[in-house]
Amino acid sequence: MRAADVSSDITEVLVTEEQISAKLEEVAARVDADYEGKDLLLVGVLKGAIMVMADFSRALKVTAPMDWMAVSSYGAGTKSSGVVQIRKDLDTDILGKHVLIVEDIIDSGLTLSWLLENFTARGAASVEVFALLRKPEAAKVEVPCKYVGFDIPTEFVVGYGLDYAERYRNLRDVAILAPHVYS
Ligand code: IMP
Ligand code: MG
């Protein structure tokens, strides 16, 4: 589905599928170089990161294993609750691994700062973050994010894995959700 298919539900397209695809190639090339010879483990944060993980991991030139974590700091609303809850833990022992967390978006930063602390405590050799999107003005905590796709304004966005009440994840572009949809 493209933004034009749901044009009455969105106010603006922020990032197109084509821009995302070009950015993923660019970040993948950096990651390939930065992790050369290292034991890299990609950790995706469900469910928002599914699209980024699918396309980003395939843009890499190394056979990096993949694991998933499900946490939630959001209910069905559009504001972060600040409470992080583990819904599915990793299957992998990350002791000594170079973990790269693959995320859809950094909003308040609360989820990622919690994950970074958690993974470091489990003995990972290093923990870095790739977030496709970041809302710099919404930060409640600073998260050291080595790879960032796009900085966007503090608006509620959907698409490319990002949902509103589980919908719009299959939109290929990233767009601002029209307020009439959630108010
Ligand atoms: P944070 O803890 O506030 O940084 O964000 C946690 C999670 O909230 C992200 O990983 C997303 O899944 C979700 N989220 C944050 N902002 C948005 C948005 O604009 N649209 C949809 N989901 C969002
Ligand atoms: Mg979500």
Side-chain angles (χ1 to χ4, degrees), residues 26-54:
E26 191 187 306
V27 175
R30 283 178 60 199
V31 168
D32 276 330
D34 293 351
Y35 287 87
E36 207 187 326
K38 284 185 181 159
D39 203 0
L40 171 64
L41 172 70
L42 302 175
V43 172
V45 185
L46 293 169
K47 303 171 204 166
I50 50 170
M51 304 299 178
V52 196
M53 180 66 103

Side-chain angles (χ1 to χ4, degrees), residues 48 73-74 80 103-112 135 155-158 162-163:
S73 64
Y74 271 56
S80 184
E103 252 289 38
D104 51 357
I105 193 165
I106 306 181
D107 184 2
S108 68
L110 294 167
T111 309
L112 268 176
K135 298 180 190 170
E155 300 277 0
F156 192 78
V157 295
V158 292
L162 289 155
D163 72 306

Side-chain angles (χ1 to χ4, degrees), residues 10-22:
I10 61 181
T11 55
E12 195 188 331
V13 177
L14 288 183
V15 195
T16 65
E17 176 182 30
E18 293 75 15
Q19 289 171 315
I20 293 170
S21 162

Side-chain angles (χ1 to χ4, degrees), residues 77-94:
T78 61
K79 289 261 147 46
S80 184
S81 66
V83 180
V84 178
Q85 197 189 349
I86 297 189
R87 293 190 169 169
K88 184 220 164 281
D89 204 353
L90 297 172
D91 298 327
T92 318
D93 181 3
I94 61 172

